[in-house]
Amino acid sequence: MAGSLFGIHGVALELRSQRMGLIASNIANAATPGYKARDIDFAAALKASQAGAKDPGQAAALYRRPNMNSLDGNTVELAAEQVAFAENAVGYSATLSFIRGRVETITRALKGD
């Protein structure tokens, strides 16, 4: 029901939340030797969800390729992670605002305003 009520925005919010968790994990492990940074290809995850994938975020999760290799094998590039986190946070906020507006519209309709 949530899928039909909010359309793709419900899935988008869930994917952005999963992506935020992955990016936060990358940032937290920036100094962990051998840690491999991961991210979600958001567009691919949305396509996977429309194709009926049960866990589109997992299906579109990829390991990041670093611009510069580190000596300890860690692929986290802190500046890139911070940019990705900020971009994702803006997208999350915009999607949440859209859903909140939709809920408010439905609530007003039910009240007869």
Side-chain angles (χ1 to χ4, degrees):
M1 172 144 179
S4 63
L5 181 62
F6 299 117
I8 199 163
H9 299 286
V11 173
L13 191 66
E14 184 178 333
L15 289 172
R16 290 199 184 281
S17 178
Q18 289 177 6
R19 184 170 186 234
M20 197 160 305
L22 277 180
I23 296 169
S25 180
N26 292 344
I27 291 171
N29 286 288
T32 303
Y35 183 82
K36 305 298 182 207
R38 296 183 71 202
D39 197 359
I40 291 175
D41 180 339
F42 189 74
L46 280 178
K47 272 188 181 179
S49 100
Q50 290 177 326
K54 294 196 186 274
D55 189 357
Q58 189 66 25
L62 307 168
Y63 287 99
R64 284 220 182 145
R65 288 193 176 140
N67 292 320
M68 291 184 60
N69 292 328
S70 66
L71 295 176
D72 66 0
N74 185 308
T75 62
V76 175
E77 293 175 328
L78 198 53
E81 299 297 335
Q82 290 170 331
V83 167
F85 190 88
E87 287 175 346
N88 192 64
V90 168
Y92 183 91
S93 180
T95 303
L96 189 58
S97 292
F98 178 85
I99 291 173
R100 187 177 296 128
R102 181 87 169 138
V103 168
E104 288 171 1
T105 300
I106 292 168
T107 302
R108 281 194 310 269
L110 291 173
K111 288 182 179 178
D113 291 344

